[in-house]
Amino acid sequence: MMQCWKGFYNCWFSKKKAFANKIYRITGMRPRELALYELAFRHSSLVTDSRCSAQECNERLEFLGDSILSAAVSEFLFKKYPSKNEGFLTEMRSKIVNRARLNELGFKLGLDAILRYNKKLGSFNRSICGNALEALIGAIYLDLGYRAAQYFIIHKMINIYLNLDELETQNHNYKSQLMEFAQKHKIEPIIYEVVEETFAGNIKEFTVACIIQDKVMGLGKDTKKKVAEQKASEMALLKLCS
Amino acid sequence: MMQCWKGFYNCWFSKKKAFANKIYRITGMRPRELALYELAFRHSSLVTDSRCSAQECNERLEFLGDSILSAAVSEFLFKKYPSKNEGFLTEMRSKIVNRARLNELGFKLGLDAILRYNKKLGSFNRSICGNALEALIGAIYLDLGYRAAQYFIIHKMINIYLNLDELETQNHNYKSQLMEFAQKHKIEPIIYEVVEETFAGNIKEFTVACIIQDKVMGLGKDTKKKVAEQKASEMALLKLCS
């Protein structure tokens, strides 16, 4: 009996140790409260009883991690670009923390190998990985604090996987991306329509709708029609790809 | 000459001291780097040379403060409601940090009395106050750190001015608010139209457009048509009131 318990304990202990090592390899920091990280990698598809889903999957940690990520990236950009205005900083932040980028980073960090989800409930959705990355940030924050989460974001994500100079000059041409997507999936025509013109002081602002096959798929507002079209295309792309 | 310099110095010093006292009364904390707070209350309408606008007005601090606010509120809600799911937390956060609420809190904190803006450039816009509140949070964060910003947000904003029990049960009925607004300003009719139906796994999602006087003013997506209509109404209200 004693032998049996010892075997069970050893097995359990070595599993925990292996998991802690994986977290260390990803984050560069030794986890204290391992249960937080286990939760971060537990997708909601594993929850059977919806009444207690809140504590049993990573969605709450994802909620927290999402805003910690945004705060850390904002501070990083604020300090890196002391002479750039708020518009530039906002654009750079959205280039770093958009859904597609987080999914990609989640894969690059190898989170898909640790993630636990119900494989019976359909194919693997890429966004599960991006969500788990946010949940991991939430777990690091709760376990080791704001500076540790910031360290992970800057030194294990941004500095390793992102080329900021490239991002800076990269023009997010959502309109052409959308055009490409629509042609590929045969969902044309795409029409852009100015649905509103407003004045903020002396400055005119346009609200442009992106209409695909007679359905409004995106809205964008800006002082320049072209930028409003880009924003509307971004929203439409997000909808089509989500 | 000496007397003149002394007079100038005393005047400058007492002005600084008075400003530091005002900040102390608002935040409950003694500022270290006063220039940060001065910047937080300097609106972009005062900037004459657009080339150096980034360092001369509060927009960059607003960018930073906005995300620090969101992170602090997220953590506060995450800990206050340990059994609530991500949907509830997201809704509560948006009830706390929405534009109208921030403008209102900015006024309640008396920020309008410290704010500096160009009075020649039209009437006072309420959102200037909400933006200055975000910039103030950015200044506190840079000056005194994350915990100080968190202290201000929880103890000087949430605990004093918000009734969370009320917020929790409060149903954001944006649809009826919009209806009321539209009747008052004679901008009817309001039409809700399902513009898209998609499937996420087995779950159907509706995208509803809120169309006012033939213009798409808002879009909302949810598994329930009624909730999607609320979301579309919220977006429309935001546009109409901004």
Short mmCIF file of all heavy atoms in Angstrom, two decimals, chain A residues 19-45:
data_model
loop_
_atom_site.label_atom_id
_atom_site.label_comp_id
_atom_site.label_asym_id
_atom_site.label_seq_id
_atom_site.Cartn_x
_atom_site.Cartn_y
_atom_site.Cartn_z
N PHE A 19 5.95 20.13 -15.81
CA PHE A 19 5.12 21.27 -16.22
C PHE A 19 5.79 22.59 -15.80
O PHE A 19 5.85 23.55 -16.58
CB PHE A 19 3.72 21.16 -15.60
CG PHE A 19 2.79 22.27 -16.02
CD1 PHE A 19 2.34 22.39 -17.32
CD2 PHE A 19 2.38 23.23 -15.09
CE1 PHE A 19 1.50 23.43 -17.71
CE2 PHE A 19 1.54 24.27 -15.46
CZ PHE A 19 1.11 24.36 -16.78
N ALA A 20 6.30 22.62 -14.57
CA ALA A 20 6.99 23.83 -14.08
C ALA A 20 8.19 24.15 -14.96
O ALA A 20 8.46 25.33 -15.25
CB ALA A 20 7.44 23.63 -12.63
N ASN A 21 8.90 23.13 -15.42
CA ASN A 21 10.04 23.35 -16.31
C ASN A 21 9.62 23.94 -17.64
O ASN A 21 10.29 24.78 -18.21
CB ASN A 21 10.81 22.04 -16.53
CG ASN A 21 11.67 21.70 -15.34
OD1 ASN A 21 12.04 22.59 -14.56
ND2 ASN A 21 11.97 20.42 -15.16
N LYS A 22 8.48 23.45 -18.14
CA LYS A 22 7.96 23.99 -19.40
C LYS A 22 7.66 25.48 -19.25
O LYS A 22 7.96 26.28 -20.12
CB LYS A 22 6.68 23.24 -19.81
CG LYS A 22 6.94 21.91 -20.48
CD LYS A 22 5.63 21.25 -20.85
CE LYS A 22 5.85 19.80 -21.24
NZ LYS A 22 4.61 19.03 -21.31
N ILE A 23 7.02 25.83 -18.15
CA ILE A 23 6.68 27.24 -17.89
C ILE A 23 7.97 28.06 -17.81
O ILE A 23 8.05 29.17 -18.36
CB ILE A 23 5.86 27.38 -16.58
CG1 ILE A 23 4.53 26.62 -16.68
CG2 ILE A 23 5.61 28.86 -16.24
CD1 ILE A 23 3.60 27.09 -17.77
N TYR A 24 8.96 27.50 -17.14
CA TYR A 24 10.24 28.21 -17.01
C TYR A 24 10.87 28.45 -18.38
O TYR A 24 11.39 29.53 -18.65
CB TYR A 24 11.19 27.40 -16.11
CG TYR A 24 12.56 28.01 -16.00
CD1 TYR A 24 12.75 29.22 -15.35
CD2 TYR A 24 13.66 27.39 -16.59
CE1 TYR A 24 14.01 29.79 -15.26
CE2 TYR A 24 14.93 27.97 -16.51
CZ TYR A 24 15.09 29.16 -15.84
OH TYR A 24 16.33 29.74 -15.76
N ARG A 25 10.81 27.43 -19.24
CA ARG A 25 11.40 27.58 -20.57
C ARG A 25 10.68 28.68 -21.38
O ARG A 25 11.28 29.40 -22.14
CB ARG A 25 11.34 26.25 -21.34
CG ARG A 25 12.54 25.36 -21.04
CD ARG A 25 12.73 24.29 -22.10
NE ARG A 25 11.60 23.35 -22.12
CZ ARG A 25 11.49 22.29 -21.32
NH1 ARG A 25 12.42 22.04 -20.43
NH2 ARG A 25 10.45 21.49 -21.41
N ILE A 26 9.36 28.78 -21.19
CA ILE A 26 8.58 29.77 -21.94
C ILE A 26 8.75 31.18 -21.37
O ILE A 26 8.94 32.14 -22.10
CB ILE A 26 7.08 29.37 -21.95
CG1 ILE A 26 6.88 28.09 -22.76
CG2 ILE A 26 6.21 30.50 -22.51
CD1 ILE A 26 5.51 27.46 -22.62
N THR A 27 8.66 31.29 -20.05
CA THR A 27 8.61 32.62 -19.44
C THR A 27 9.99 33.13 -18.97
O THR A 27 10.16 34.33 -18.77
CB THR A 27 7.67 32.64 -18.22
OG1 THR A 27 8.24 31.77 -17.20
CG2 THR A 27 6.28 32.14 -18.56
N GLY A 28 10.91 32.19 -18.76
CA GLY A 28 12.21 32.59 -18.22
C GLY A 28 12.15 32.84 -16.72
O GLY A 28 13.10 33.34 -16.14
N MET A 29 11.04 32.48 -16.09
CA MET A 29 10.89 32.71 -14.65
C MET A 29 10.31 31.47 -13.99
O MET A 29 9.41 30.82 -14.56
CB MET A 29 9.96 33.89 -14.40
CG MET A 29 10.56 35.22 -14.82
SD MET A 29 9.35 36.57 -14.85
CE MET A 29 8.36 36.15 -16.27
N ARG A 30 10.80 31.17 -12.79
CA ARG A 30 10.29 30.01 -12.06
C ARG A 30 8.91 30.33 -11.49
O ARG A 30 8.75 31.30 -10.76
CB ARG A 30 11.21 29.67 -10.88
CG ARG A 30 12.52 29.07 -11.30
CD ARG A 30 12.52 27.55 -11.20
NE ARG A 30 13.69 27.04 -11.92
CZ ARG A 30 13.63 26.13 -12.88
NH1 ARG A 30 12.48 25.59 -13.24
NH2 ARG A 30 14.72 25.71 -13.49
N PRO A 31 7.89 29.53 -11.84
CA PRO A 31 6.56 29.77 -11.29
C PRO A 31 6.50 29.45 -9.79
O PRO A 31 7.18 28.53 -9.34
CB PRO A 31 5.67 28.82 -12.08
CG PRO A 31 6.58 27.76 -12.58
CD PRO A 31 7.93 28.38 -12.74
N ARG A 32 5.69 30.23 -9.06
CA ARG A 32 5.50 29.93 -7.64
C ARG A 32 4.24 29.10 -7.47
O ARG A 32 4.25 28.01 -6.96
CB ARG A 32 5.37 31.22 -6.84
CG ARG A 32 6.70 31.88 -6.58
CD ARG A 32 6.53 33.10 -5.66
NE ARG A 32 7.62 34.03 -5.85
CZ ARG A 32 7.52 35.34 -5.77
NH1 ARG A 32 6.37 35.90 -5.49
NH2 ARG A 32 8.58 36.11 -5.94
N GLU A 33 3.13 29.67 -7.97
CA GLU A 33 1.85 28.98 -7.79
C GLU A 33 1.47 28.30 -9.11
O GLU A 33 0.86 28.91 -10.00
CB GLU A 33 0.78 30.01 -7.40
CG GLU A 33 -0.35 29.40 -6.59
CD GLU A 33 -1.34 30.45 -6.12
OE1 GLU A 33 -0.90 31.52 -5.68
OE2 GLU A 33 -2.54 30.19 -6.21
N LEU A 34 1.85 27.04 -9.21
CA LEU A 34 1.70 26.31 -10.47
C LEU A 34 0.25 26.21 -10.95
O LEU A 34 -0.02 26.18 -12.15
CB LEU A 34 2.31 24.91 -10.29
CG LEU A 34 2.91 24.29 -11.55
CD1 LEU A 34 3.94 25.18 -12.18
CD2 LEU A 34 3.51 22.94 -11.23
N ALA A 35 -0.68 26.15 -9.98
CA ALA A 35 -2.09 25.97 -10.33
C ALA A 35 -2.59 27.09 -11.25
O ALA A 35 -3.45 26.88 -12.11
CB ALA A 35 -2.93 25.93 -9.06
N LEU A 36 -2.03 28.29 -11.08
CA LEU A 36 -2.44 29.42 -11.92
C LEU A 36 -2.10 29.16 -13.38
O LEU A 36 -2.89 29.47 -14.29
CB LEU A 36 -1.70 30.69 -11.46
CG LEU A 36 -2.26 31.43 -10.25
CD1 LEU A 36 -1.27 32.49 -9.79
CD2 LEU A 36 -3.60 32.06 -10.61
N TYR A 37 -0.93 28.56 -13.61
CA TYR A 37 -0.48 28.30 -14.97
C TYR A 37 -1.27 27.12 -15.57
O TYR A 37 -1.55 27.09 -16.75
CB TYR A 37 1.02 28.01 -15.01
CG TYR A 37 1.83 29.18 -14.49
CD1 TYR A 37 2.07 29.34 -13.12
CD2 TYR A 37 2.34 30.14 -15.36
CE1 TYR A 37 2.80 30.42 -12.64
CE2 TYR A 37 3.07 31.22 -14.89
CZ TYR A 37 3.30 31.36 -13.52
OH TYR A 37 4.00 32.43 -13.04
N GLU A 38 -1.60 26.17 -14.70
CA GLU A 38 -2.42 25.05 -15.18
C GLU A 38 -3.77 25.57 -15.66
O GLU A 38 -4.28 25.17 -16.70
CB GLU A 38 -2.58 24.02 -14.06
CG GLU A 38 -1.31 23.18 -13.89
CD GLU A 38 -1.30 22.32 -12.63
OE1 GLU A 38 -2.09 22.60 -11.70
OE2 GLU A 38 -0.48 21.39 -12.58
N LEU A 39 -4.31 26.51 -14.90
CA LEU A 39 -5.60 27.10 -15.28
C LEU A 39 -5.47 27.90 -16.58
O LEU A 39 -6.38 27.88 -17.42
CB LEU A 39 -6.08 28.02 -14.14
CG LEU A 39 -7.50 28.56 -14.27
CD1 LEU A 39 -8.52 27.43 -14.24
CD2 LEU A 39 -7.81 29.55 -13.14
N ALA A 40 -4.34 28.58 -16.75
CA ALA A 40 -4.13 29.41 -17.95
C ALA A 40 -4.18 28.59 -19.23
O ALA A 40 -4.50 29.11 -20.30
CB ALA A 40 -2.80 30.14 -17.84
N PHE A 41 -3.87 27.30 -19.12
CA PHE A 41 -3.84 26.46 -20.31
C PHE A 41 -5.05 25.53 -20.41
O PHE A 41 -5.04 24.58 -21.18
CB PHE A 41 -2.53 25.66 -20.36
CG PHE A 41 -1.34 26.56 -20.58
CD1 PHE A 41 -0.43 26.82 -19.58
CD2 PHE A 41 -1.18 27.19 -21.80
CE1 PHE A 41 0.63 27.67 -19.77
CE2 PHE A 41 -0.12 28.06 -22.02
CZ PHE A 41 0.79 28.31 -21.00
N ARG A 42 -6.05 25.82 -19.64
CA ARG A 42 -7.25 24.98 -19.64
C ARG A 42 -8.37 25.72 -20.38
O ARG A 42 -8.97 26.67 -19.87
CB ARG A 42 -7.65 24.71 -18.19
CG ARG A 42 -8.68 23.64 -18.03
CD ARG A 42 -8.93 23.35 -16.55
NE ARG A 42 -10.25 22.77 -16.37
CZ ARG A 42 -10.52 21.48 -16.52
NH1 ARG A 42 -9.55 20.65 -16.79
NH2 ARG A 42 -11.76 21.04 -16.39
N HIS A 43 -8.67 25.26 -21.58
CA HIS A 43 -9.67 25.90 -22.42
C HIS A 43 -11.09 25.59 -21.93
O HIS A 43 -11.34 24.53 -21.34
CB HIS A 43 -9.49 25.42 -23.87
CG HIS A 43 -10.41 26.11 -24.83
ND1 HIS A 43 -11.44 25.46 -25.46
CD2 HIS A 43 -10.44 27.40 -25.25
CE1 HIS A 43 -12.07 26.32 -26.24
NE2 HIS A 43 -11.49 27.50 -26.13
N SER A 44 -12.00 26.51 -22.22
CA SER A 44 -13.39 26.36 -21.73
C SER A 44 -14.11 25.12 -22.28
O SER A 44 -15.09 24.66 -21.70
CB SER A 44 -14.19 27.61 -22.06
OG SER A 44 -14.18 27.82 -23.45
N SER A 45 -13.59 24.57 -23.39
CA SER A 45 -14.25 23.38 -23.97
C SER A 45 -14.14 22.16 -23.05
O SER A 45 -14.85 21.17 -23.23
CB SER A 45 -13.64 23.04 -25.33
OG SER A 45 -12.25 22.80 -25.19
#
